[in-house]
């Protein structure tokens, strides 16, 4: 027999959903059979599975340790990479970290190591119990391209993950980027267009008017400094679509320096840049009554080294 005590990250969900996640290698039919036979009980009583879990509820599974390990997948292995997560802000519910260039935001294959794995490693090294990961995994809510650096937002708790995902989806959080582009930009502007993804070539195409399977996009940019044949821009994503900044700026003849996919090859070779100079620089949170420590506050990261070669931070 093994007992599990429901924590705040498991509370609020249906009992059967919790059991499906805990016993991920057991079939649905088997789980409901064990519930009927009282081999899985809630607070010492027979349960149907539709009960809503509360914090400190007791879940007991009357099976052998070997069987439980088989159905849960056994003890969770945490990769020890030695990667030092660059934490910008942290509380009980959320964490902000700066992603380096070249690191994946999320896995694209089972063998990949991404910011999510680095997050789990950091949290378990700092007291987050491994046993909690069977039914809830903290994770980052936003994505950055592999060669884009900067701020990412993670939910450490269920309520943090849900709220951060919500404000990203409804666009009430403002996200600002720094980039260096070809040419001189002398005024602030908002550009609009329609973006369609070319799945075959993993690129996007920008149109002036709507086309089939396109999304309307809005991108705001403001010049911060100019030098020779380049401009340092602060960009706000009003909408947030794949490759939006890179493709949209390239479409108005201001491609991002170092961008091999949408950029200017001659411009990139002139400065020897092989990765796009695009950095998630700042986030500004909306009013959040339930999260007073971050409500209406902004957080930013310093200019990356590849930016300071061209422009010094003010």
């Amino acid at each position: 027999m093994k007992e599990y005590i429901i924590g705040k990250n498991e509370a609020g969900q249906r009992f059967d959903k919790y059991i499906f996640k805990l016993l991920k290698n057991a079939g649905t039919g088997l789980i409901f059979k064990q519930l009927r036979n009282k081999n899985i009980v809630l607070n010492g009583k027979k349960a149907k599975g539709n009960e809503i879990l509360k914090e400190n509820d007791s879940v007991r599974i009357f099976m052998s340790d070997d069987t439980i390990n088989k159905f849960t997948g056994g003890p969770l292995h945490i990769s020890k990479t030695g990667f030092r997560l660059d934490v910008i802000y942290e509380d009980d519910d959320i964490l902000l970290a700066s992603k380096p260039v070249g690191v994946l935001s999320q896995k694209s294959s089972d063998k990949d190591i991404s910011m999510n794995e680095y997050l789990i490693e950091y949290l378990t090294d700092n007291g987050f119990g491994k046993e909690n990961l069977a039914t809830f995994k903290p994770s980052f809510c936003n994505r950055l391209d592999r060669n884009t650096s900067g701020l990412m937002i993670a939910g450490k708790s269920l309520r943090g993950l849900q709220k951060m995902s919500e404000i990203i989806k409804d666009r009430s959080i403002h996200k600002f980027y720094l980039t260096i582009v070809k040419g001189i930009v002398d005024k602030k502007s908002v550009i609009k267009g329609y973006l369609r993804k070319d799945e075959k070539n993993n690129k996007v195409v920008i149109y002036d008017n709507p086309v089939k399977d396109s999304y309307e996009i809005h991108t705001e940019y403001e010049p911060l400094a100019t030098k020779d044949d380049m401009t340092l821009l602060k960009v706000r994503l009003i909408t947030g679509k794949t490759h939006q900044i890179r493709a949209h700026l390239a479409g108005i003849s201001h491609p991002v320096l170092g961008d091999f996919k949408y950029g200017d090859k001659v411009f990139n070779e002139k400065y020897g840049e092989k990765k796009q100079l695009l950095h998630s620089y700042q986030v500004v949170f909306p009013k959040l009554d339930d999260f007073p420590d971050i409500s209406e506050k902004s957080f930013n990261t310093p200019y990356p080294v590849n930016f300071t070669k061209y422009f010094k931070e003010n």
Side-chain angles (χ1 to χ4, degrees):
M1 188 276 289
K2 192 164 186 178
E3 182 179 30
Y4 298 85
I5 302 299
I6 299 302
K8 65 179 181 179
N9 292 328
E10 291 83 31
Q13 64 181 309
R14 282 173 53 123
F15 183 37
D16 53 2
K17 301 294 185 184
Y18 169 82
I19 294 296
F20 294 154
K21 287 186 284 188
L22 181 64
L23 304 180
K24 61 188 177 199
N25 294 332
T28 302
L30 176 62
I31 287 174
F32 280 117
K33 181 179 179 180
Q34 299 305 311
L35 286 169
R36 289 193 300 270
N37 293 338
K38 295 196 292 186
N39 290 325
I40 302 175
V41 297
L42 176 61
N43 295 322
K45 298 178 181 179
K46 183 176 180 178
K48 293 181 179 179
N50 61 355
E51 297 84 358
I52 301 301
L53 295 175
K54 301 186 293 295
E55 194 169 352
N56 296 319
D57 276 351
S58 164
V59 177
R60 290 182 179 176
I61 301 177
F62 292 92
M63 300 178 187
S64 69
D65 288 347
D66 287 346
T67 300
I68 292 174
N69 283 338
K70 174 184 173 182
F71 288 152
T72 60
L76 187 67
H77 173 70
I78 306 297
S79 298
K80 293 298 182 182
T81 65
F83 180 88
R84 182 179 177 275
L85 196 68
D86 185 7
V87 177
I88 306 300
Y89 171 82
E90 182 179 6
D91 60 29
D92 289 342
D93 297 297
I94 75 161
L95 179 146
L96 305 181
S98 187
K99 183 185 86 68
V101 170
V103 174
L104 290 170
S105 294
Q106 295 184 354
K107 282 186 175 186
S108 56
S109 72
D110 289 341
K111 294 181 180 180
D112 288 337
I113 300 294
S114 72
M115 286 292 286
N116 282 326
E117 284 65 53
Y118 295 141
L119 173 67
I120 296 299
E121 181 180 1
Y122 169 82
L123 292 177
T124 54
D125 283 347
N126 288 277
F128 190 93
K130 289 184 181 180
E131 65 278 3
N132 299 323
L133 297 173
T135 53
F136 173 75
K137 285 189 178 181
S139 63
F140 285 97
C141 307
N142 61 318
R143 296 187 183 187
L144 297 176
D145 292 339
R146 184 172 199 149
N147 290 323
T148 297
S149 59
L151 278 171
M152 294 188 65
I153 306 166
K156 289 175 56 180
S157 68
L158 179 61
R159 85 181 198 108
L161 189 62
Q162 289 175 335
K163 178 56 71 172
M164 294 305 102
S165 297
E166 175 189 317
I167 63 176
I168 289 171
K169 185 176 181 180
D170 68 19
R171 303 174 190 165
S172 57
I173 187 171
H174 290 173
K175 296 179 289 183
F176 295 90
Y177 292 73
L178 292 177
T179 188
I180 296 175
V181 300
K182 178 183 178 181
I184 301 301
V185 181
D186 57 9
K187 63 180 180 180
K188 182 177 180 179
S189 183
V190 176
I191 50 177
K192 301 178 182 180
Y194 294 86
L195 178 150
R196 182 176 63 82
K197 188 166 185 180
D198 178 354
E199 298 284 354
K200 182 179 179 180
N201 296 306
N202 191 29
K203 291 184 70 173
V204 301
V205 182
I206 307 295
Y207 299 89
D208 292 331
N209 299 299
V211 299
K212 183 181 178 182
D213 298 325
S214 66
Y215 298 90
E216 185 172 2
I217 57 171
H218 296 187
T219 307
E220 179 183 86
Y221 61 83
E222 176 184 3
L224 299 181
T226 60
K227 177 182 178 182
D228 301 327
D229 56 350
M230 63 176 64
T231 302
L232 174 67
L233 293 182
K234 185 174 183 178
V235 180
R236 179 166 78 95
L237 272 180
I238 300 173
T239 56
K241 297 297 180 183
T242 302
H243 300 176
Q244 178 178 323
I245 293 175
R246 296 159 59 193
H248 218 176
L249 291 174
I252 59 168
S253 301
H254 292 297
V256 171
L257 176 59
D259 188 354
F260 70 93
K261 188 165 285 191
Y262 304 99
D264 183 303
K265 182 178 179 180
V266 174
F267 184 57
N268 294 341
E269 289 178 348
K270 177 180 178 180
Y271 291 100
E273 297 291 350
K274 297 180 180 180
K275 295 177 181 178
Q276 69 255 17
L277 272 71
L278 184 60
H279 179 68
S280 176
Y281 170 66
Q282 182 182 54
V283 293
V284 181
F285 287 97
K287 182 174 176 59
L288 299 170
D289 292 333
D290 293 339
F291 296 82
D293 290 340
I294 60 170
S295 180
E296 298 182 294
K297 291 184 179 178
S298 66
F299 298 87
N300 63 279
T301 58
Y303 283 23
V305 172
N306 54 351
F307 278 69
T308 58
K309 290 191 298 183
Y310 306 103
F311 297 98
K312 301 298 182 185
E313 187 167 5
N314 294 327

